[in-house]
Amino acid sequence: MISLNLEQIKNSVHLFDGITDTTLTSCLEGIMGDVYGDSENPKTVAAVLSYVYIGGEFNSEFLQNFFNFMGNKHFIVITHNKEIRENIIEHYGKKCFIQKRFETVKEFPKLPEYEYSLSDGFTVKRFDEDLYNQAKQESWSIGFCENFTSYKDFLENGLGFGITYNDKLICGASSFSYYSGGYEVIIATKEDFRKMGFARIAAYEFIRESIKRNKLPSWDAAHEVSLHLAEWLGYKLDYEYIGLKII
């Protein structure tokens, strides 16, 4: 298993045909993440950016080396190769859980007309350095910024909107990753504030600003609740697929 340079990555893009997740796009453009292959002219490739994407042919030696490389990390694997998927399930056993996921069409959503109000103490605001640093402190929110090297990196290349309660971050919609054409959206709410409509507000503000910037806010739904919110915001379902959650 070797780390691929940008030229080798570009020559491997076809191995991921059918996977449209823009977090993978970030890796294949050489902007974020890392890409590994079974050789300098690879037939099996793994892209890693919090998520893991495996494309190409089944290669048991490469997969075993990759499993060893990942160690005891928790991650989600996406592959369209059935043989690779079955090998992963066999390798991880009870640590592997099958997810049904939903990819949306890669086009700008048609946002509905939407007005909202927040109770006293609650505020919606664009991510600044304070919210960025708050997000890094808790497990529920770290995904808002974990793929950026610094606040400066986030400020220049990312986007986020948070909802605060008494100045403490309780919900947000942010760029999980970025690529030349836009962002991959991540949305999360602190447990005590869930099912109160905050995710809809944060997502709406994030998407509206993304559209103003002419940056596609790509939405990959991990479950049906996320898909329903995406559809309310104007997204259309493209296809369902299987993800493997490794814990």
Side-chain angles (χ1 to χ4, degrees), residues 104-229:
T104 59
V105 176
K106 295 298 176 282
E107 62 184 22
F108 285 96
K110 296 182 179 179
L111 278 175
E113 294 293 327
Y114 180 48
E115 295 183 1
Y116 62 84
S117 60
L118 292 170
S119 302
D120 290 346
F122 292 93
T123 304
V124 58
K125 59 186 292 189
R126 188 177 299 181
F127 263 46
D128 55 14
E129 190 166 8
D130 175 56
L131 290 190
Y132 175 88
N133 288 328
Q134 284 193 47
K136 291 171 62 177
Q137 301 305 312
E138 298 193 50
S139 58
W140 73 268
S141 57
I142 195 170
F144 293 151
C145 55
E146 67 178 334
N147 292 323
F148 293 84
T149 58
S150 64
Y151 174 65
K152 182 177 183 292
D153 182 22
F154 183 87
L155 184 65
E156 292 177 353
N157 299 303
L159 175 67
F161 279 84
I163 296 176
T164 62
Y165 179 63
N166 293 335
D167 297 323
K168 298 298 183 183
L169 183 65
I170 58 96
C171 178
S174 179
S175 47
F176 180 74
S177 55
Y178 74 96
Y179 68 107
S180 58
Y183 311 111
E184 184 71 31
V185 182
I186 179 172
I187 301 166
T189 305
K190 194 168 185 175
E191 186 172 4
D192 291 346
F193 296 90
R194 292 173 186 167
K195 298 184 178 180
M196 299 172 68
F198 294 126
R200 178 174 303 204
I201 295 170
Y204 184 86
E205 294 294 350
F206 178 90
I207 293 164
R208 183 165 63 172
E209 180 61 25
S210 297
I211 293 171
K212 286 181 182 178
R213 296 183 177 193
N214 197 34
K215 294 290 188 179
L216 178 67
S218 178
W219 191 302
D220 172 57
H223 44 69
E224 291 186 356
V225 173
S226 176
L227 175 63
H228 293 157
L229 176 57

Side-chain angles (χ1 to χ4, degrees), residues 2 16 30 35 54 92 118 203 207:
I2 64 169
F16 293 100
V35 182
I54 303 179
Y92 284 100
L118 292 170
I207 293 164

Side-chain angles (χ1 to χ4, degrees), residues 75-77 95-99 243-247:
F75 55 95
I76 292 173
V77 185
K95 293 183 177 181
C96 179
F97 295 85
I98 297 174
Q99 292 183 325
L244 303 177
K245 184 175 183 179
I246 311 301
I247 62 170

Side-chain angles (χ1 to χ4, degrees), residues 1-16 24 27-28 33-48 52-67 69-70 84:
M1 187 179 84
I2 64 169
S3 178
L4 301 183
N5 61 37
L6 185 56
E7 182 179 356
Q8 292 165 337
I9 292 171
K10 289 181 177 179
N11 291 334
S12 304
V13 169
H14 67 282
L15 298 176
F16 293 100
L24 172 61
C27 296
L28 299 182
D34 299 289
V35 182
Y36 304 93
D38 58 349
S39 69
E40 293 181 354
N41 298 296
K43 295 183 178 180
T44 309
V45 177
V48 182
V52 171
Y53 305 86
I54 303 179
E57 300 177 357
F58 173 74
N59 181 325
S60 59
E61 181 180 358
F62 174 83
L63 290 177
Q64 187 59 56
N65 288 336
F66 184 76
F67 297 152
F69 170 73
M70 293 302 289
I84 292 175

